[in-house]
Each structure stands twice: as C-alpha cells, then as structure tokens.
Amino acid sequence: LYPRHRFGSGMITDKRRMRLYVTMSQRLTRDSLLHQLLLLDDIDLVGESDTGIDTLNRLTDARPGVLIIEESLVDNDGLTIAENALSLSPSLSILLICETPVNPGRLAIYLESGIKAVISKHQPIQDLIKTLYYIRNGQVYVSSLQTPDAATSSLMDAYHALSGREREVAQLIA
C-alpha cells in the first residue's frame, strides 16, 4: 500500500534508521502521511493504529523510537496515550499533532509530560519531517505556529528556568 512499505522485523541493523509508529484516527490522513514519510530511505514503519488503546497494546512488541500521535483520538486524548506510552518506553520520542495552535499553558503541560514535539496539522510535510529528525536525536521542537510570533524561544527559556513547583503552579493556572 505504501511506497517501500517496511514493517520492522524488530532487529535494528542501522542505528541511524528511524523506527516509526503512527497513531491517527482518520485512515485517509494516516495513509497520506505514511505515503510521504516512507519515501524516505531511513524510516521503517514498525506499526500504525487508529486508536490509543491499540497503540499501547502494540507498543512493546513494535519497539518504535518515534511515535506520531494525534492530539484528539476517537478513544482518548493524545496526552493520556503519550504519558502511558512513555511509561512503557521511557526513551520513546513523541510528536503530537494538533488540530489548532496550542496555547502556552497547554504547551507547557505537553512538554512537562515528556512529549518532544508539538506541531499543527496546518504545517507543511517538510516541517513534520524536519521535526522527526530533531526529536529522534533527543531534541525538543516547538513549532512557531504554536505560540504567537517569536515568543517560542523566550517561552521555552522561561519554562526551563522555572523550578518543578513553579511549573506545577503555572500548569494549574493555565
């Protein structure tokens, strides 16, 4: 169905290869995304599903390095599934795709939960691909579309400067 469709065998032969799992509710959207991503030679699709519960049930066997997940799934929200996925696989890098730009309070909650990247569905595929490579290497990526103007970097700086208790209070206020 997909170009050069590869379901990983569980054996990692090249450490630079990206083991990808995709969770998106809408089949057409998921297939379109995978069609574009699997044109890249260094991405192996190790699983896909349309619900968060299916993702959690398959995650341990699939052993992805990167999980793409929608913010709003039919059976649960992306944040809850991401938190559960990270408890199963703490080294997992998660990219959360949002329908609309995320306000700074929600963004802080996502980052605090361990999500490595938050991008909007309104961004071009090239931005998503670039983001996948950032988070695969352990970096955090926040789209400039998520916060107003150039405030992204100052928001990230301010967020990281807060103590754990200050972050908790900021999240409660948001």
Side-chain angles (χ1 to χ4, degrees):
L1 176 64
Y2 308 117
R4 289 193 304 261
H5 187 259
R6 297 176 299 269
F7 274 100
S9 65
M11 298 296 291
I12 300 174
T13 57
D14 182 350
K15 290 185 180 188
R16 293 177 309 197
R17 298 192 67 75
M18 185 182 310
R19 295 178 52 80
L20 179 68
Y21 195 105
V22 177
T23 304
M24 298 182 82
S25 297
Q26 297 173 346
R27 182 69 193 205
L28 180 61
T29 304
R30 188 171 69 247
D31 286 351
S32 298
L33 175 64
L34 288 172
H35 180 79
Q36 292 295 312
L37 292 176
L38 293 175
L39 291 172
L40 302 169
D41 288 331
D42 59 348
I43 294 181
D44 289 325
L45 178 64
V46 297
E48 62 176 293
S49 53
D50 58 359
T51 67
I53 299 301
D54 284 346
T55 299
L56 294 175
N57 288 335
R58 298 174 186 164
L59 205 59
T60 303
D61 290 336
R63 295 188 358 227
V66 176
L67 170 64
I68 295 176
I69 190 166
E70 278 183 302
E71 181 181 39
S72 299
L73 298 168
V74 293
D75 66 337
N76 218 316
D77 65 279
L79 175 61
T80 301
I81 299 303
E83 289 173 333
N84 286 313
L86 285 167
S87 71
L88 294 171
S89 179
S91 64
L92 185 63
S93 292
I94 298 178
L95 184 152
L96 184 70
I97 299 178
C98 299
E99 185 68 38
T100 60
V102 175
N103 70 48
R106 256 183 40 225
L107 180 60
I109 291 168
Y110 291 154
L111 295 174
E112 184 69 22
S113 74
I115 292 171
K116 294 280 190 214
V118 180
I119 67 169
S120 168
K121 286 185 179 181
H122 303 285
Q123 291 183 250
I125 187 70
Q126 294 85 356
D127 287 356
L128 184 135
I129 291 168
K130 177 178 71 171
T131 303
L132 287 174
Y133 289 102
Y134 279 139
I135 69 172
R136 175 186 72 174
N137 294 323
Q139 297 174 329
V140 173
Y141 178 84
V142 178
S143 160
S144 61
L145 294 179
Q146 297 306 324
T147 56
D149 55 61
T152 301
S153 62
S154 63
L155 171 67
M156 292 298 297
D157 292 342
Y159 176 77
H160 289 296
L162 296 175
S163 71
R165 179 66 182 145
E166 289 169 327
R167 288 180 192 172
E168 185 179 330
V169 170
Q171 290 171 5
L172 291 171
I173 292 170

